[in-house]
Amino acid sequence: MSEIKKGNEVSKTDKEKKDEEKEDLNEEDKQLQEELNMLVERLVESDQSLYKPALESLRVQIRASTTSMTSVPKPLKFLRPHYDTLKVVYDKIIDVDTKRFCADIVSILAMTTSENQECLKYRLLGSKEEIGSWGHEYVRHLAGEIAHDWGESSESDTEIRKQLLHLANEIVPYNMEHNAEAEACDLLMEIEHLDILEKYVDENSFPRVCLYLSSCVAYVPDPENTNLQKTAMRIFRKFNRYPEALRLAMMLNDIRMVEEIFLLCKDIAIQKQMAFMLGRQQIFLELGENVDDEDDLLEIMSNSQLNNHFLSLGRELDIMEAKTPDDIYKTHLESNRPSYGPSGSQVDSARHNLASSFVNGFVNAAFGQDKLLMQDGNKWLHKNKEHGMLSATASLGLILLWDVDGGLTQIDKYLYSAEDYIKSGSLLACGIVNCGVRNDCDPALALLSDYVLHTSNIMRIGAIVGLGLAYVGSNKEEVLSLLLPVMADPKSNIEVIGMAALACGLIGVGSCNADVTSTILQTLMEKTPKDLKDTYARFLPLGLGLCYLGKQESVDAIIAALEVIPEPFKSMATTMVDMCAYAGTGNVLKIQHLLHVCSEHHEHSDKEEKKDDKKEDKDKEKINVDLSSQQAVAVLGIALIAMGEDIGADMAFRMFGYLLRYGEPVIRRAVPLALGLISVSNPKINILETLSKFSHDSDPEVAHNAIFAMGVVGAGTNNARLAAMLRQLAQYHAKDPNNLFMVRIAQGLAHLGKGTLTLCPYHSDRQLMNPVAVGGLLAALIAFLDVKNIILGKSHYMLYFLVPEIGRASCRERV
């Protein structure tokens, strides 16, 4: 009884509501509602001759209200209760034209009433009149239903897809005419027919269309992302916007298309601008003799005038005067301390002098003059010991960067030194000077080729790394044929083999060079587990990965080939190669996989169970330690993949926070480097503060890497906040020579080129990733994963792998 009563109350309430709604209506609305009700009543009657005039009247009323829609129009609101009635009317109409007419009305009503895709269904049954006549909201709703139905249908449903495609061909031009280019692109992306877009873009709409397509690239999976880029590139070509098309061709890493677009352009001024773009990306085209101004274009692409442009900028800014390391350290601002360690000038230590050599090189990079080496170089070089001499001599190459003609003559005298370390450093300096500059004479090849298989491994290292830097990204056959035999040479130690593999990877970066990959794989397979345990062995898979940088699924065959390598090394190698292949793509699935690798906890075997067989216990422990090296690489991999777009980089920053707090020690050591990688030459306050916090960490390797990462984050920015942080750190770590060495390196990087250079691997408004720059930066960061044995050991020359970024991220655009 109570339920009946309750039901009466509910119905009463509904009735009251309707009455209240009626009372709310003004006279005009009431009249409209009554008129619509009367028209529907006519359609319910059996006399079908009344149907067409009634439907005509309904159409007039609806159209008058749907041309611009901010809320549900009154006629549609009042016709909602009659939706089912009109569907019944449609079914009973006999006359074909009237039936189609009725389908149009039902279709527009379904937009606000039905959730069963009936708007599209009745549109296809309707009169096929101009789609825009019902207003923009109707077209948008229809596009959504087309996308849904296309996804539901299979490729075998050809008839349905043909109808949907025909309708899409009506919607796209309407959207283009009404400034709704984004909606047109979305629809065509959903139905996978972006080629239709080219037919309908015009002179006014194409910039917005291409901008939207390019902006979507980071958020769609492969291969749709490349399809978007190719479509935008074709549209730019259609409207003769060659520089924009060239940039997209470079993003696709399609050299054949790059050359085609470059030669299509007939405007010599634009062609020269495109040549500068190619030079920046380290792409060199062999032009035929029939090209106008061939010599000028080749000169621009080869970067042979880069040093002159840079020096003219320096003169304009009045910063030509050389700076000393003390100008950077600003030791006069530090509070007076007793004369312990290399904190000040009281004690002249080799470590302090080595740091000053690097700082001197970074600060005066490309300016061609300094106050340590140019006046009396031998005196300064002999203040360093052994490998320190190598790095100090190589810093000459940084000072003379890009000055191939003038620089080599100043380095030449050191090639005749009695010290092998100085000779090796001068070979490396020759390579650094040539980095990023093409020269028909190939001076680096002529000078260094004789030393690649030298009896001394020290000499080999200088020549091999020098050639790797001089021909980075060139994929030059003559250089590779010199370097590849080094890996099989019995006199080469593992350090030389690692550097040879890395140099070959840098020369063939992103080229998938079969000779390089097969030689490195063969070398890996021949090495014993003891060899693979060596810290320099990690550079073999890195060289392999660099060959496939950004090539995504093309690397699958290489990963399969690595399966034959013994397990501890295999995990690290496959992770390294895989992360290189997806560098800068923002691939979420790969990042999730790498996070899963980082989340694993490897217990030491002695904790699990005590066994009598101690040897077995030791072997297990080795495997666990080696597996942790895979985790360190995975941390860098997350940053390498995520750095391509801002949202991914922000998400990665949050993840790194968790890894720093809860991760294994080896993960914590890698996180500062990864933070540096997602924000190269971009000193964001949150990242700087995180790194500053970990620069005081109790784990010395975390502190070393955090300090270096601060330098990478602020490279070339002259950031005042960072400079103050580093000065405080120099005082804090004054007793610790290793940490102080790192602080000095970071200070040198922060003032790179006196603030006119940067390490950022992205350019063209962060749209274009430079594979050469990423390769060099990655090589340096991988070395820092074992900072104690490599950078703070005898291989500090690996800091010069930062040179390709400096070379490619110059201030030429600001000139």
Side-chain angles (χ1 to χ4, degrees), residues 94-154:
I94 299 164
D95 181 61
V96 177
D97 289 343
T98 311
K99 199 176 181 76
R100 286 178 180 161
F101 211 153
C102 186
D104 290 343
I105 303 295
V106 176
S107 175
I108 186 77
L109 266 181
M111 175 176 67
T112 57
T113 311
S114 171
E115 293 178 4
N116 302 321
Q117 308 291 314
E118 289 185 331
C119 180
L120 175 59
K121 174 189 166 184
Y122 283 100
R123 170 70 199 180
L124 294 171
L125 295 168
S127 62
K128 309 285 192 298
E129 65 178 312
E130 191 193 340
I131 202 161
S133 59
W134 295 106
H136 184 72
E137 193 63 31
Y138 174 67
V139 176
R140 213 166 78 172
H141 190 85
L142 211 50
E145 293 197 2
I146 289 170
H148 178 272
D149 273 27
W150 188 278
E152 295 284 307
S153 66
S154 64

Side-chain angles (χ1 to χ4, degrees), residues 594-644:
L594 293 171
L595 279 169
H596 179 69
V597 170
C598 295
S599 67
E600 288 173 5
H601 179 66
H602 301 295
E603 288 285 347
H604 286 298
S605 49
D606 57 335
K607 286 183 183 177
E608 289 169 12
E609 54 181 331
K610 289 182 181 176
K611 290 187 178 179
D612 295 327
D613 190 351
K614 289 181 181 176
K615 190 180 177 187
E616 194 179 322
D617 231 17
K618 274 185 180 178
D619 288 345
K620 281 189 179 181
E621 209 163 300
K622 281 179 190 174
I623 288 170
N624 285 326
V625 170
D626 282 330
L627 283 174
S628 68
S629 70
Q630 179 203 9
Q631 293 183 314
V633 171
V635 173
L636 276 184
I638 293 167
L640 184 65
I641 294 168
M643 69 176 179

Side-chain angles (χ1 to χ4, degrees), residues 25 57 175 190 230 237 251 262 283 295 300 322 328 356 375 399 420 466 499 512 546 551 556 597 602 714 722 767:
L25 297 175
S57 300
N175 281 335
E190 291 289 343
K230 284 174 183 173
R237 278 182 65 177
M251 286 168 81
F262 187 82
I283 295 172
D295 292 342
I300 293 167
I328 303 304
S356 294
Q375 290 164 6
I399 295 161
D420 271 3
M499 289 305 105
C512 307
L546 290 177
K551 290 295 180 182
D556 293 346
V597 170
H602 301 295
L722 175 62
Q767 291 176 19

Side-chain angles (χ1 to χ4, degrees), residues 246 250 258 262 271-285 296-306 402 435-438 472-473 763-764 768 770-773 804-810 812-813:
L246 184 76
M250 289 194 287
V258 165
F262 187 82
Q271 218 170 17
K272 284 181 179 177
Q273 179 58 42
M274 288 159 72
F276 275 114
M277 290 167 68
L278 291 173
R280 177 76 181 268
Q281 190 70 356
Q282 193 88 341
I283 295 172
F284 187 81
L285 302 177
D296 287 353
L297 293 172
L298 290 175
E299 186 181 63
I300 293 167
M301 272 189 276
S302 66
N303 290 321
S304 54
Q305 293 299 316
L306 190 52
W402 309 321
C435 186
V437 179
R438 302 253 175 164
V472 62
H763 59 94
S764 298
L768 200 53
N770 187 342
V772 166
E805 295 92 286
I806 303 170
R808 304 292 10 105
S810 72
R812 181 171 51 211
E813 288 180 337

Side-chain angles (χ1 to χ4, degrees), residues 572-795:
M572 188 269 286
T574 50
T575 304
M576 193 179 286
V577 171
D578 200 30
M579 78 180 194
C580 287
Y582 288 86
T585 59
N587 189 301
V588 178
L589 296 175
K590 290 292 171 188
I591 292 174
Q592 284 175 345
H593 168 68
L594 293 171
L595 279 169
H596 179 69
V597 170
C598 295
S599 67
E600 288 173 5
H601 179 66
H602 301 295
E603 288 285 347
H604 286 298
S605 49
D606 57 335
K607 286 183 183 177
E608 289 169 12
E609 54 181 331
K610 289 182 181 176
K611 290 187 178 179
D612 295 327
D613 190 351
K614 289 181 181 176
K615 190 180 177 187
E616 194 179 322
D617 231 17
K618 274 185 180 178
D619 288 345
K620 281 189 179 181
E621 209 163 300
K622 281 179 190 174
I623 288 170
N624 285 326
V625 170
D626 282 330
L627 283 174
S628 68
S629 70
Q630 179 203 9
Q631 293 183 314
V633 171
V635 173
L636 276 184
I638 293 167
L640 184 65
I641 294 168
M643 69 176 179
E645 41 99 19
D646 294 336
I647 295 172
D650 289 342
M651 294 290 282
F653 175 69
R654 288 171 59 192
M655 292 176 219
F656 292 145
Y658 297 123
L659 291 176
L660 275 168
R661 282 194 285 276
Y662 310 116
E664 304 287 309
V666 73
I667 291 174
R668 293 183 75 248
R669 289 167 192 160
V671 168
L673 301 173
L675 285 170
L677 186 53
I678 58 171
S679 191
V680 181
S681 291
N682 184 14
K684 292 181 180 174
I685 291 172
N686 55 352
I687 290 179
L688 273 183
E689 286 179 348
T690 306
L691 291 172
S692 177
K693 179 179 160 188
F694 286 96
S695 63
H696 300 79
D697 200 86
S698 55
D699 182 339
E701 290 188 46
V702 174
H704 298 334
N705 290 348
I707 295 166
F708 174 71
M710 288 169 78
V712 171
V713 168
T717 60
N718 282 358
N719 187 281
R721 178 193 286 262
L722 175 62
M725 282 178 176
L726 291 172
R727 280 199 301 275
Q728 287 167 359
L729 273 173
Q731 287 183 279
Y732 180 82
H733 291 302
K735 286 184 179 179
D736 182 343
N738 287 339
N739 270 328
L740 187 64
F741 175 76
M742 283 300 161
V743 174
R744 297 313 188 199
I745 297 296
Q747 285 178 310
L749 285 172
H751 295 87
L752 187 66
K754 303 174 195 169
T756 58
L757 297 169
T758 166
L759 292 183
C760 188
Y762 281 85
H763 59 94
S764 298
D765 197 22
R766 282 189 60 80
Q767 291 176 19
L768 200 53
M769 181 184 86
N770 187 342
V772 166
V774 173
L777 183 59
L778 195 55
L781 294 177
I782 293 291
F784 270 86
L785 290 179
D786 188 10
V787 63
K788 201 180 287 182
N789 295 317
I790 297 178
I791 303 297
L792 294 172
K794 294 179 177 179
S795 300

